[in-house]
């Protein structure tokens, strides 16, 4: 078995190296046969990794403890589907999943483009092949999932980390990997376009979906991780500015900047250097994030064990960054835009400011990760950045970004007149001003940034809704008698990308409302109660009845039986507790979360038993928190609208792409 | 907008971000120094500052929770387990908190006891505790 697994991985490594060489030579010699050969090598590499993954999964499912990784991360009593998810809970398994996704995407890209884009594809094959070769190398020679446990095979596994036995852990890591890995494709196309002597926007048109998918996956991956932390860790929050959380956030921020700036290039032919630099930066930051997670460079609740693999990642980051810098600088003359931004009060200038703020926030977060190890290396003492550091920049940069989110979609291209600005923004501005007044009167002034953020959310929402209403009104004028819902539907259907983007903006607004609600207006108490004792929090009265015990397939738990009353009426009985596992050394929190239709959660965590009969609880009333999960659904809806195929638009883009392809440099 | 003006805006934006980040992280209290138990022991009660202490757990204090929710547990220097402090702590206990684990906790030393800030206790990742191969191999 292990021979098949190891052999498949070695084969994948060899094929990826070959694809790199064949693609590169095909690009230089303009040799179609070599391109075809490299393309097939990538397809075969994917097939080989599928075989290796199947062998590894088989070993997990059959509890084959001859494999060290299987022995370390599972046991006979780990229930399904968590046993399946142990595939990616180790360094080795998660790298294999990464390679599986990377080779899969590479195979899909090369298959999709088998009959087109022959000027770009050799370089795309070479770059994707090199990325696959690097990851295959790390798995074959540094962190193999098929490492043997030794001569004596254990009869039982070590079990799975308790906190990972959670439904969200089933999907959170694969989603993040899809995001991290997915940015390889736009990076490969951007560099390929330059290597092929192209500086136009064709690579952007070809990779629009290939950029949106990893962006969404990374965003949803973070959201699912937040949900996991909220339900599993028991501290009542969902984002702790942990280095590994930040490692995913940083490329998502630069990726978001990129999604906006490409619009300026597509519409106006500007920001060409910026866009190729931004997509290269995003790719490098994806690998850097992986380095943070896997090297032991940072201390985090999510990192894997300290290992020598980090140096290989540093090398790859250096190679990718140097490659991008050389390619971009050698093509700088081609990337010069014939147009300039005419006015700071224009849509393109707004997009530029938005980009600067996204990159500034990404840099501030990155510095927060780099500062502790650098301070230790330079000064001998580790200095950690803490939550206030991140919160400061989240507020200082996040609030202007939020404002630009309301301005960007509405302000005119080229140069906005004063009259136009007043007309476009008077209602959003008045709504925000009225909103902040109402918030202050309603007692939300306890957090000034919170109140400002909520009023800006109102500004953005009104701005977007008015823009949609204006469009729908225009459609009704063109087709009298059309109802408002029908006009709105037609409007969205005719420009899915634009209005899908607006829905995504609304999702971000909903998410920000949730973040503000929980971070600025939550109520927390940590009482110690004896049986029969009650306490009040946020309109609820909680009565501790007694301690109880429960038993599951591989766990025992101690729970606190608590009656929840509101207005004197019993509305629920909850049992927060702590589980100890028979096959894992850790315990896990089993928090009780009681959501309400207003988006508020009553959150109860079990801190510990007191003197055998009492209990120490952590209780929070988290206002608006459920809007965060709703934001995820709205985000998916917006993404769906933006990415949904439109034959009319596809034909227009294909025409434009063909035109650009015909003008390819000889 | 002329190209030079645009470049000026970009440069100013980047420079001010750099300056703010560096200032905030190094001078204005956005960061806290991580101290080992041995370093704290050298300073003793002379250290009145709030510090972030990195240590190993010696006793978990599961049976020590008082009527006010305070838990008393013992920590030691990660390299020299003879250097120990009792910690008085109130708040969430991470799932991985257990004897032998490395933890980080914020607080200050008073009268030879480390008074921790509420909810400041964190542990290192469970996957950092990947087991060694079975004995006898």
């Amino acid at each position: 078995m292990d021979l098949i697994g190891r052999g498949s991985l070695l084969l994948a490594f060899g094929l990826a190296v070959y694809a790199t060489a064949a693609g590169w030579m095909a690009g230089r010699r303009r040799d179609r046969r070599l391109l075809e050969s490299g393309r097939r090598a990538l397809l075969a590499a994917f097939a080989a990794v599928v075989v290796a993954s199947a062998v590894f999964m088989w070993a997990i499912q059959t509890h084959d403890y001859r494999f060290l990784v299987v022995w370390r991360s599972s046991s006979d009593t780990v229930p399904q589907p968590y046993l399946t998810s142990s595939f990616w809970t180790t360094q080795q398994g998660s790298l294999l999943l990464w390679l599986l996704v990377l080779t899969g995407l590479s195979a899909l890209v090369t298959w999709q483009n088998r009959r087109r884009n022959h000027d770009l594809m050799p370089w795309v094959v070479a770059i994707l092949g090199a990325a696959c070769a690097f990851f295959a190398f790390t798995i074959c020679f540094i962190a193999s999932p098929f490492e043997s446990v030794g001569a004596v095979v254990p009869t039982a596994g070590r079990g799975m980390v308790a906190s990972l036995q959670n439904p969200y852990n089933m999907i959170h890591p694969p989603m993040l990997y899809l995001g991290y890995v997915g940015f390889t494709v736009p990076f490969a196309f951007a560099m390929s376009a330059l290597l092929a002597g192209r500086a136009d926007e064709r690579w952007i048109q070809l990779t629009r979906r290939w950029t949106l998918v990893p962006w969404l996956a990374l965003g949803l991956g973070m959201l699912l991780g937040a949900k996991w932390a909220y339900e599993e860790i028991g501290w009542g929050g969902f984002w702790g500015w942990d280095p590994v959380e930040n490692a995913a956030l940083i490329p998502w921020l630069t990726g978001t900047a990129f999604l906006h700036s490409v619009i300026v290039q597509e519409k106006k032919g500007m920001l060409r250097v910026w866009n190729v630099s931004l997509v290269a930066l995003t790719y490098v930051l994806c690998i850097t994030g992986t380095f943070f997670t896997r090297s032991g460079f940072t201390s985090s609740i999510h990192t894997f064990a300290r290992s020598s693999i980090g140096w290989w990642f540093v090398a790859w980051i250096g190679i990718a960054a140097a490659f991008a810098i050389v390619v971009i600088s050698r093509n700088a003359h081609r990337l010069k835009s014939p147009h300039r931004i005419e006015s700071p009060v224009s849509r393109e200038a707004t997009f530029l400011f938005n980009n600067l703020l996204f990159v500034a926030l990404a840099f501030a977060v990155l510095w927060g990760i780099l500062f502790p190890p650098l301070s230790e290396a330079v000064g001998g003492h580790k200095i950690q950045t803490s939550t206030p550091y991140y919160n400061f920049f989240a507020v200082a940069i996040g609030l202007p970004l939020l404002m630009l989110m309301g301005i960007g979609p509405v302000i005119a291209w080229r140069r906005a007149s004063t009259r136009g600005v007043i007309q476009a923004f008077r209602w959003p501005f008045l709504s925000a001003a009225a909103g902040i007044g109402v918030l202050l009167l309603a007692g939300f002034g306890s957090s000034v940034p919170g109140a400002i953020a909520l009023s800006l959310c109102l500004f953005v929402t009104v701005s977007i809704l008015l823009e949609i209403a204006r469009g729908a009104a225009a459609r009704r004028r063109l087709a009298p008698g059309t109802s408002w819902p029908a006009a709105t539907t037609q409007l969205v259907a005719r420009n899915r990308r634009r209005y899908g983007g607006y829905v995504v903006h609304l999702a971000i607004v909903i998410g920000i409302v949730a973040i503000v609600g929980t971070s600025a207006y939550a109520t927390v108490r940590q009482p110690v109660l004896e049986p029969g004792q009650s306490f009040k929090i946020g309109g609820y009265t909680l009565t501790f009845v007694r301690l109880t015990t429960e038993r599951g397939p591989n766990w025992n738990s101690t729970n606190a039986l608590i009656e929840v009353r509101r207005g004197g009426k019993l509305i629920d009985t909850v049992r927060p507790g702590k589980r100890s596992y028979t096959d894992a050394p850790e315990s896990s929190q089993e928090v009780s979360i009681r959501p309400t239709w207003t988006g508020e959660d009553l959150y109860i965590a079990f801190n510990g038993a007191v003197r055998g009969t009492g209990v120490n609880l952590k209780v929070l009333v988290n206002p608006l928190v459920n809007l965060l999960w709703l934001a995820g659904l709205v985000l998916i809806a917006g993404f769906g609208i933006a990415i949904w195929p439109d034959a009319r638009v596809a034909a227009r883009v294909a025409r434009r792409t063909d035109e650009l392809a015909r003008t390819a440099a000889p | 907008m002329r190209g030079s003006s645009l470049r000026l805006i970009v440069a100013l934006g980047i420079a001010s971000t750099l300056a703010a980040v560096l200032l905030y992280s190094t001078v204005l209290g956005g960061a806290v120094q991580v101290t080992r138990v041995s370093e704290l022991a050298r300073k003793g009660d002379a250290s009145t500052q709030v510090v972030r202490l990195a240590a190993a757990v010696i006793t978990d204090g599961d049976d020590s929770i008082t009527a006010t929710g305070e838990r008393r547990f013992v920590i030691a220097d990660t390299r020299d387990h003879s250097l120990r402090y009792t910690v008085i702590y109130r708040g969430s206990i991470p799932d991985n908190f257990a004897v032998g684990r490395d933890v980080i906790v914020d607080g200050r030393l008073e009268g030879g006891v480390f008074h921790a800030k509420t909810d400041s206790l964190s542990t290192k990742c469970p996957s950092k505790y990947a087991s060694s191969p079975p004995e006898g191999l």
Side-chain angles (χ1 to χ4, degrees), chain A residues 530-579:
Chain A
E530 288 297 328
Q533 281 188 323
S534 301
F535 86 105
K536 291 184 176 175
I537 181 168
Y540 297 96
T541 302
L542 272 60
T543 304
F544 170 55
V545 180
R546 64 175 184 278
L547 289 174
T548 63
T549 54
E550 274 182 66
R551 178 172 284 188
N554 63 338
W555 52 264
N556 299 305
S557 76
T558 304
N559 301 62
L561 182 63
I562 294 167
E563 291 175 348
V564 182
R565 289 183 172 78
R566 188 150 204 169
K569 187 182 165 194
L570 181 69
I571 55 171
D572 207 351
T573 303
V574 295
R575 286 181 173 78
K578 199 155 208 172
R579 280 184 189 174

Side-chain angles (χ1 to χ4, degrees), chain A residues 71-72 149 152 158 161 232 300-301 303 341-342 352 363 367 381-382 384 386 389 526 528 587 589 607 610 618, chain B residues 1 6 18 21 24-25 30-34 52 65 67 69 90-92 95 119 125-127 131-132 137:
Chain A
W71 171 74
R72 274 180 176 164
V149 79
V152 181
R158 292 282 297 172
V161 172
E232 191 63 47
S300 155
I301 64 162
T303 48
I341 292 177
E342 292 180 27
L352 178 68
F363 171 74
W367 182 250
H381 282 98
K382 184 179 263 191
Q384 279 194 341
S386 49
Y389 167 86
Q526 306 205 37
V528 173
S587 57
Q589 277 278 0
N607 273 354
V610 179
K618 180 168 187 175
Chain B
M1 184 186 268
L6 185 64
L18 280 172
V21 166
Y24 197 78
S25 59
V32 57
Q33 184 172 320
V34 180
R52 179 161 293 175
I65 303 175
R90 209 165 170 270
S92 302
D95 288 345
D119 284 339
C125 178
S127 54
S131 315
S132 304
L137 302 179

